[in-house]
Amino acid sequence: MRNVIAYVNLTLDGHLAGPAGELDWMTPDPELNIALSDELRSRVDTILTGRNFHHGIEQNFRAQANDPASPAELADFATWMISTPQVVFSRSLTEVAAPHRLAGDDLAATVAELKALPGKDMVLFGGVSIVQQFVREGLVDEYWIKLYPTAIGAGQPLFTDRCTELRLTESKAWESGILTLRYLPA
């Protein structure tokens, strides 16, 4: 059965984004990004995302994939991001272009259907609302967390109203001060 990997950027105080969705606290670490993106691409063949992140993939990664000044590793990852099939969770979109598809209204049923299909694992990138819903409903099989050495004081948390016990399976400190943490639900 396929797994759902929640791949998130997180502040030291547990936020996915600032109160208004700010991500200005994220600092780049090209070495870390290359290492994680290579592993991710080898394990995943489907992206799970919300409407805003879907549009962000289309705008930002398409531009990076087509920019001759983009470093080769970034262009390769950007190409993977735009060409990998996405399942988009949205109440307002009525269609998405192939090879992407809209998710059904029942989150748990949609995830169960996707898990039963043949293929590799799936990665949940975001946005905040859909990640929180997956966590709240217990639909995440693995957490890949990039923990930034920054506390923002207030914002949009990863964990909201549900106690979620996790078991650490891997950790690594990077020169940038970012920690990569891997957890399984306990």
Side-chain angles (χ1 to χ4, degrees):
M1 183 166 289
R2 305 165 78 192
N3 286 325
V4 172
I5 300 168
Y7 184 107
V8 297
N9 297 298
L10 200 62
T11 64
L12 195 56
D13 52 352
H15 297 103
L16 295 163
E22 303 91 341
L23 299 173
D24 55 350
W25 48 268
M26 292 180 11
T27 54
D29 185 328
E31 179 187 1
L32 177 157
N33 290 339
I34 290 168
L36 289 183
S37 70
D38 287 348
E39 183 179 359
L40 189 66
R41 289 185 283 177
S42 72
R43 283 205 42 200
V44 168
D45 67 2
T46 305
I47 295 171
L48 308 175
T49 186
R51 175 185 48 87
N52 288 336
F53 199 86
H54 167 71
H55 288 308
I57 289 171
E58 288 301 310
Q59 293 172 350
N60 300 326
F61 286 105
R62 191 166 301 283
Q64 290 173 345
N66 295 325
D67 183 353
S70 288
E73 298 87 5
L74 180 57
D76 287 347
F77 183 70
T79 300
W80 180 82
M81 288 288 289
I82 58 177
S83 63
T84 299
Q86 297 173 30
V87 178
V88 183
F89 295 84
S90 173
R91 290 183 190 96
S92 60
L93 287 178
T94 57
E95 65 181 9
V96 292
H100 313 313
R101 69 173 250 206
L102 287 172
D105 290 336
D106 184 331
L107 182 65
T110 299
V111 172
E113 172 195 321
L114 292 168
K115 284 182 157 195
L117 295 173
K120 296 181 179 181
D121 290 335
M122 301 170 283
V123 63
L124 172 64
F125 278 126
V128 171
S129 175
I130 194 63
V131 171
Q132 289 173 336
Q133 288 176 46
F134 267 72
V135 170
R136 195 170 26 256
E137 294 195 29
L139 299 173
V140 176
D141 299 300
E142 294 181 49
Y143 291 85
W144 289 19
I145 297 172
K146 287 171 52 179
L147 186 66
Y148 287 77
T150 305
I152 60 174
Q156 301 174 43
L158 173 58
F159 301 101
T160 55
D161 58 354
R162 178 176 189 244
C163 178
T164 304
E165 293 186 28
L166 304 174
R167 180 174 52 86
L168 182 67
T169 60
E170 185 179 324
S171 65
K172 181 175 180 178
W174 296 80
E175 198 168 311
S176 63
I178 298 170
L179 298 176
T180 51
L181 305 167
R182 303 255 178 105
Y183 290 97
L184 297 175

